Amino acid sequence: MTLKNTPHRWGGVSQGLHWLIALLILTLGIVGLTMGELPKTPKYFWVYTAHKSLGITVLALVALRLGWRLYAGAPAPVPGTPSWQERIASVTHWLLYGLMFALPLSGWIYDSASGLRPFRWFGLVDVPKLVAPDPGARDISHAIHEWGFWLLIAVVLAHAGAALYHHFFQRDATLARMLPQGWLTSPQKD
């Protein structure tokens, strides 16, 4: 497998970043939905710090992924894909990028504006505050973080649903080309 994208499939770097970011976002979502229910013990603060650290990690990985995509390009659309589907896919991908930047940034601003003590990324590096403590900025960034998460879930479900639709009903290589070669073959059209 080539590391760089080809005209026909995503390369190893794009695939690796895609699935790693997806796994981290799934983890962040599960932790984010459950951490408010934890008792206020030292473990509670550890979970919050881990959530923040993973969020900053996703932000860095998404920036890396976007840079790689601009450098390595993207495969051409699967032959036979209608232009309206190409346009929807393009809008969906850019919306995903926007949300993957907005969520960690809004969480970081929320943390900063809340006036909480500074945290260290996985206990290693001090994470600077982006804004001074401010109840208005805290409330707005929290709303963006929370509602943005639900929008991200909806867009990811549409994205995954479209990939599965292409695989099982269109019977094309859309899904297979985001997986390592040989993991999944495209079903043959009747």
Side-chain angles (χ1 to χ4, degrees), residues 10 47 78 90 102 133 136 167:
W10 296 97
V47 170
V78 172
S90 180
H167 184 72

Side-chain angles (χ1 to χ4, degrees), residues 8 13 20 24 30 33 38 57 72 74-76 92 103 112 125 130 138 140 146-147 151 163 168-170 174-175 189:
H8 306 290
V13 172
L20 176 59
L24 291 175
I30 292 168
L33 289 171
L38 295 174
T57 302
T92 300
L103 264 64
S112 299
V125 179
L130 295 180
R138 180 197 63 215
I140 290 170
E146 186 174 335
W147 289 104
L151 179 57
F168 290 111
F169 296 100
Q170 295 294 109
T174 299
L175 177 60
K189 290 187 179 184

